[in-house]
Amino acid sequence: MGFKQLAFVAATLLLHGAQAGGVTSYGDDFGFIGYSIRIYQPECAWACLFCITAPLNCTTGDMAGAVPEKRDVADEPPALPSGDGWEVTLEATPQCQQDSDFFLQTVAYCIKSRCADVPLRTLDNFWDKNVPFLYDGDKKDQPVSRQGYTGVLGAIKDAPSRPVNSTVLLNYTAAVPDEVYQPEYDAIHNYAASEVTHERYGLVIFLSGVVMPIAFSLLRFLPWPASWVARFNAYLVNPPAVGSQHSTPVWGLGIMPTRGQALFIAYFWLINIFLSALGYEILPGLFYDSQSYEVQTYLANRFGVLSFAHLPLVFLYAGRNNILLWLTNWSHSTFLLMHRWAAFLCMLHAVLHSLVYLNMAVAHIGGLDHAVESVQPYWYWGIIATLSMSIMVVASIQPVRQKMYELFLASHIALAVMAIVGCYYHITPKYDFDYGYQTWLYISIALWVFDRAARLFRSLRGGVKRAFLTPIDDDYYRLDIPGATASGHIYLHFPTVSLWRIWENHPFSVAGVARCSSHMPSPVHAPVEGNSDPEAEKTVQVGDNRGSRSSTGSDGAPQPYSSSDIGVVLFIRKHDGITSLLSKRGIGPKGIPVLVEGSYAPGVTFLQDGHVSPTHNFPHLICIAGGVGITGILPSLDSFTAVARPIGRKKLYWGVRTMPLVHSVERMLGYDGKDALERRWGDVDVTLSVGERFDLRSLLEADLCSRPGGTTVVVCGPPGMADDVRCIVSGLSRHNGANGPVLVKLIVESFSW
Ligand SMILES: Cc1cc2nc3c(=O)[nH]c(=O)nc-3n(C[C@H](O)[C@H](O)[C@H](O)COP(=O)(O)OP(=O)(O)OC[C@H]3O[C@@H](n4cnc5c(N)ncnc54)[C@H](O)[C@@H]3O)c2cc1C
Ligand SMILES: *[C@@H]1O[C@H](CO)[C@@H](O)[C@H](O)[C@H]1NC(C)=O
Ligand SMILES: *[C@@H]1O[C@H](CO)[C@@H](O)[C@H](O)[C@H]1NC(C)=O
Ligand SMILES: *[C@@H]1O[C@H](CO)[C@@H](O)[C@H](O)[C@H]1NC(C)=O
């Protein structure tokens, strides 16, 4: 369902002119109101059908049929006669209307005189589908027309002259005077127009949420002077909106957006406030017996549609396989932040929508009665959807995500399903498919299915691999997955680690594609690796693994290993979950089955920013890594390596707690720096800081302000470190250094979302 309909939506939006399309009835097409769906068309015919409220003489049999919802009659109803087997009533059933030639003729004549410019085919079609009309009832009970429009018209002998009178029995063919027709027409017209406005505003939110990130990303391709860009980023994009924390949650509760992110969030709030408040045309009409009823209905419906319009954005922003990630240079963490804000606004609209209708039901406005409505499916499914959304928002606060990530994730998915199902059953009983509100849900579901399917495809594509673990010290280990190839980051699934963790998967950065340390039982290694003593494994490692990088092969002579020895190398820091379970369980000589989902590398399309590479404006590179964050840095170092003489300087500052991690990484890279704090990896100056913190401010000041030429700064490390670098670099590039403006491009690789 999803894809075909998504394609259809796209086509509809492109054509735009679908307005002129053939749907001229109550609407039962797919799409959005005002685009492929038009409601209450032709409005003149609907007004004729609805404005005739005179009492009819109905038989008991007629009245036994489906009862229409009570319509509000402002005045005290007149005393109406009744007799044996018949009654004159204001609440005629469609069946009774069907049997009354006077009623049918009055409607037909009204249509003929009011809809002069509507094609006959359209009117015939309208008649067959809707006359007589079961107001607000179940579509199944809609009576089938007894006679066609032209047939009924033909039976009228003389043009009616006596006006219809809402207190007088309609036992004649009546004329419909303007004062009866016009208010009804206005009300219908206004209602239909308001629905179009709701949908249009919803589309503005949805489409701008998709288009704006792309448009803003494209701006960077314009030939701005590099110094402007650096200043712009330093003032308006990179620093935290308030304070000095971005990666570190503020008071442990939530993420402070960067200024760039804050601008986009502010845009969202503003457009939501404006689009909730504007575009109402309040005309008293027969639909509404009071102004407050009308205002509240329009307001609540607007909130409802805007809530739906956020749903596709919420799903789009959340995805790993998010089309916007490929078309923009925005990071996954930015989209996840936007996911939270879009979700919050979605929830807020849903809550406001519910509150207004609750208020109306409790106050008996507009014929709503809480006791009656609250047992209707549409009502309680609405409550389920609103509650699911609210619980999701509350349960997603930082401390919960941080402390119970897996529990959070599982409940998040379950509640998301509840919310979507709730939304579906909220609108379907009430509107069937006439209003096309389901389209918002279909788009959301399609986006979700796309992401999930792509994940499944990406993790199964490589087949089941085996992972081998080499302990480094108490905190870290190295994980090798021979036969896999990837770049950027990957998600690992360990299907056999624990039954309860089958669905778990975790992101890790690919430190390199290299010769793997432990591999399939080869006669030489098997006996030693069979030994589970970590010390023994370590010795094997040192002796065995000269770790040549697959690309450069730094130790010269090619070694005789098969291609299956080459694989992905990861360095992993133990946390409390699966990362520590893996090392506690011990993996054994045969390795452990693993599914590698990836690669999620930057630069899938040219619109995305690939790994940084030197440019003539930005020849220098400074990398700052904290602990295992080195894995996020290595690709940048790699892409700065050139065959030609390097044009800029490359530096790496790496803060680690202990040396074993350094040795292990160097072994993979093919270097050996012994225990010195200063070392060189190719043309990269590496400075270590073991067990203590760098004075980042003075280091960066010295490096950035002294040299001519721009510098790319890449940081990957603990949140505090990332924040320090973010603030220091932004601060420095707001001012001039010794050589004019300080040109910096800041890239923060994040290990937490
Ligand atoms: C793009 C990226 C690259 C990464 N690369 C590396 C790497 O190269 N080496 C490395 O050691 N770590 C890396 N990490 C961090 C690593 O994913 C987490 O440490 C790991 O998921 C923790 O697993 P756990 O079950 O032991 O965690 P727990 O002890 O259960 O939780 C530890 C912390 O990790 C968070 N976390 C847990 N699971 C996930 C998840 N699936 N996605 C996001 N956050 C999660 C929790 O909220 C918590 O804050 C990377 C993270 C990201 C987002
Ligand atoms: C209503 O119709 C019945 C026959 O179905 C007739 O006997 C009765 O007189 C009619 N009442 C009026 C007020 O016309
Ligand atoms: C409707 O009929 C009642 C009683 O027959 C009469 O008093 C009233 O003026 C009529 N209304 C209109 C609008 O003709
Ligand atoms: C219509 O009904 C009224 C009573 O409500 C009656 O006086 C009148 O004669 C009826 N007219 C016709 C044409 O049957």
Side-chain angles (χ1 to χ4, degrees):
M1 133 192 98
F3 286 107
K4 207 176 118 213
Q5 296 186 325
L6 190 65
F8 183 80
V9 178
T12 314
L13 294 176
L14 282 178
L15 292 174
H16 200 88
Q19 288 238 18
V23 189
T24 48
S25 71
Y26 197 66
D28 47 16
D29 218 338
F30 174 80
F32 297 106
I33 298 170
Y35 295 87
S36 56
I37 294 180
R38 308 197 66 199
I39 54 170
Y40 291 113
Q41 297 297 322
E43 286 167 354
C44 53
W46 283 101
C48 284
L49 182 56
F50 282 164
C51 72
I52 296 158
T53 55
L56 298 182
N57 182 359
C58 303
T59 65
T60 316
D62 284 338
M63 293 305 284
V67 185
E69 193 161 283
K70 252 191 178 171
R71 298 187 64 183
D72 293 303
V73 183
D75 312 313
E76 197 58 29
L80 295 167
S82 61
D84 198 14
W86 59 271
E87 63 172 315
V88 174
T89 173
L90 280 167
E91 282 156 31
T93 57
Q95 194 52 50
C96 175
Q97 296 176 333
Q98 177 86 292
D99 291 341
S100 164
D101 286 338
F102 299 119
F103 175 80
L104 295 182
Q105 288 175 9
T106 305
V107 175
Y109 192 79
C110 172
I111 292 178
K112 177 173 181 273
S113 47
R114 303 283 173 181
C115 300
D117 52 351
V118 179
L120 182 62
R121 193 171 52 88
T122 309
L123 297 176
D124 273 334
N125 194 17
F126 166 80
W127 186 278
D128 293 342
K129 270 195 187 157
N130 304 304
V131 180
F133 187 68
L134 177 60
Y135 187 75
D136 239 4
D138 194 325
K139 253 202 164 174
K140 288 194 295 291
D141 301 329
Q142 170 73 29
V144 183
S145 276
R146 185 164 55 96
Q147 315 169 43
Y149 171 63
T150 14
V152 173
L153 264 188
I156 304 173
K157 297 203 181 64
D158 310 307
S161 54
R162 207 176 138 194
V164 68
N165 184 324
S166 61
T167 57
V168 174
L169 171 62
L170 190 66
N171 58 358
Y172 58 98
T173 302
V176 177
D178 280 349
E179 60 270 23
V180 174
Y181 170 82
Q182 202 59 44
E184 190 71 50
Y185 177 84
D186 289 345
I188 289 176
H189 178 74
N190 217 23
Y191 175 76
S194 78
E195 285 294 324
V196 174
T197 310
H198 299 334
E199 290 283 36
R200 183 178 307 135
Y201 287 4
L203 282 169
V204 167
I205 290 186
F206 169 54
L207 291 178
S208 70
V210 175
V211 170
M212 298 246 307
I214 300 176
F216 275 115
S217 302
L218 288 178
L219 282 182
R220 74 189 194 281
F221 290 115
L222 295 178
W224 311 104
S227 57
W228 288 18
V229 176
R231 282 278 157 95
F232 183 80
N233 286 337
Y235 277 108
L236 284 176
V237 178
N238 286 331
V242 177
S244 57
Q245 284 166 284
H246 168 67
S247 304
T248 327
V250 180
W251 301 312
L253 285 180
I255 302 278
M256 170 64 68
T258 65
R259 289 188 191 166
Q261 291 168 339
L263 286 176
F264 194 54
I265 294 168
Y267 160 78
F268 256 96
W269 273 97
L270 285 178
I271 195 164
N272 267 287
I273 291 168
F274 281 125
L275 296 187
S276 305
L278 300 181
Y280 297 102
E281 217 174 310
I282 310 296
L283 282 179
L286 291 184
F287 273 22
Y288 306 102
D289 56 352
S290 73
Q291 191 105 337
S292 105
Y293 170 23
E294 188 173 6
V295 172
Q296 292 192 47
T297 308
Y298 284 164
L299 203 60
N301 289 354
R302 176 72 60 81
F303 287 141
V305 174
L306 293 192
S307 177
F308 269 42
H310 281 83
L311 283 172
L313 288 182
V314 170
F315 284 92
L316 178 64
Y317 291 160
R320 265 177 215 176
N321 297 283
N322 163 356
I323 312 149
L324 289 183
L325 271 176
W326 305 328
L327 298 182
T328 68
N329 64 341
W330 292 17
S331 68
H332 195 24
S333 22
T334 297
F335 281 116
L336 282 184
L337 191 70
M338 290 315 304
H339 160 74
R340 288 171 210 144
W341 283 99
F344 182 80
L345 287 164
C346 178
M347 183 273 306
L348 192 63
H349 282 298
V351 167
L352 290 172
H353 170 85
S354 308
L355 286 181
V356 175
Y357 269 120
L358 180 65
N359 172 53
M360 287 167 70
V362 169
H364 296 279
I365 297 172
L368 291 178
D369 178 354
H370 188 251
V372 177
E373 302 299 327
S374 59
V375 295
Q376 304 285 324
Y378 88 88
W379 188 275
Y380 57 71
W381 278 109
I383 294 181
I384 291 175
T386 310
L387 273 184
S388 307
M389 290 181 189
S390 313
I391 297 173
M392 277 169 103
V393 167
V394 174
S396 303
I397 54 164
Q398 192 80 18
V400 179
R401 286 206 312 271
Q402 198 97 42
K403 298 230 167 60
M404 297 173 279
Y405 182 79
E406 296 303 328
L407 189 66
F408 152 77
L409 195 62
S411 63
H412 204 66
I413 293 171
L415 286 165
V417 171
M418 283 295 276
I420 289 287
V421 171
C423 286
Y424 184 86
Y425 286 109
H426 174 57
I427 49 174
T428 308
K430 198 139 178 77
Y431 299 106
D432 206 347
F433 295 89
D434 294 338
Y435 279 46
Y437 290 143
Q438 288 88 349
T439 306
W440 295 113
L441 304 180
Y442 295 152
I443 302 176
S444 311
I445 295 169
L447 289 166
W448 202 3
V449 167
F450 172 73
D451 181 37
R452 289 285 161 174
R455 284 193 199 184
L456 193 68
F457 173 72
R458 290 184 138 191
S459 45
L460 295 183
R461 188 175 48 177
V464 180
K465 298 273 188 287
R466 289 196 162 258
F468 299 89
L469 182 149
T470 317
I472 295 172
D473 60 17
D474 288 347
D475 290 330
Y476 305 102
Y477 54 85
R478 166 178 165 157
L479 202 72
D480 292 61
I481 309 173
T485 170
S487 63
H489 63 273
I490 53 179
Y491 293 83
L492 295 187
H493 306 241
F494 297 99
T496 57
V497 161
S498 153
L499 189 58
W500 294 109
R501 297 174 160 261
I502 260 179
W503 59 83
E504 268 195 38
N505 56 90
H506 294 265
F508 296 100
S509 309
V510 175
V513 173
R515 191 176 174 208
C516 290
S517 62
S518 315
H519 35 74
M520 298 302 169
S522 83
V524 185
H525 303 132
V528 194
E529 283 175 356
N531 190 335
S532 63
D533 175 16
E535 278 309 311
E537 283 192 39
K538 257 190 206 161
T539 23
V540 171
Q541 246 246 329
V542 177
D544 170 49
N545 186 38
R546 307 222 54 81
S548 57
R549 276 207 279 178
S550 58
S551 47
T552 44
S554 63
D555 46 4
Q559 300 190 357
Y561 48 73
S562 72
S563 63
S564 66
D565 287 346
I566 304 288
V568 165
V569 178
L570 309 170
F571 292 92
I572 295 181
R573 160 111 203 261
K574 281 181 221 172
H575 282 269
D576 301 330
I578 206 146
T579 48
S580 72
L581 202 67
L582 272 181
S583 71
K584 261 195 231 124
R585 283 281 220 77
I587 277 182
K590 290 221 185 89
I592 184 172
V594 63
L595 287 172
V596 179
E597 179 190 334
S599 343
Y600 289 89
V604 171
T605 66
F606 78 97
L607 293 175
Q608 205 178 355
D609 266 344
H611 285 306
V612 285
S613 51
T615 64
H616 106 109
N617 274 328
F618 291 91
H620 311 298
L621 176 72
I622 296 179
C623 291
I624 299 164
V628 80
I630 189 68
T631 56
I633 295 288
L634 289 175
S636 305
L637 283 177
D638 218 18
S639 60
F640 252 71
T641 321
V643 181
R645 198 173 60 84
I647 47 174
R649 286 200 66 185
K650 277 166 258 174
K651 285 192 173 181
L652 166 67
Y653 297 105
W654 185 11
V656 283
R657 299 183 199 204
T658 51
M659 283 304 282
L661 180 64
V662 179
H663 292 310
S664 186
V665 169
E666 288 196 329
R667 259 199 303 279
M668 180 198 72
L669 296 174
Y671 301 112
D672 184 5
K674 301 279 181 322
D675 279 335
L677 289 183
E678 306 281 336
R679 47 187 74 215
R680 272 182 86 79
W681 293 351
D683 52 3
V684 183
D685 292 319
V686 181
T687 308
L688 297 178
S689 161
V690 183
E692 58 188 68
R693 294 189 172 199
F694 282 114
D695 180 0
L696 290 171
R697 179 170 292 279
S698 48
L699 286 179
L700 283 166
E701 235 163 42
D703 282 328
L704 294 180
C705 302
S706 58
R707 272 179 309 202
T711 310
T712 306
V713 175
V714 187
V715 56
C716 184
M721 180 185 226
D723 285 341
D724 285 350
V725 172
R726 182 185 290 281
C727 292
I728 295 168
V729 166
S730 303
L732 289 177
S733 58
R734 271 175 238 161
H735 305 286
N736 282 351
N739 306 290
V742 178
L743 287 186
V744 192
K745 199 191 291 177
L746 175 67
I747 297 168
V748 180
E749 301 282 350
S750 178
F751 272 9
S752 60
W753 287 330

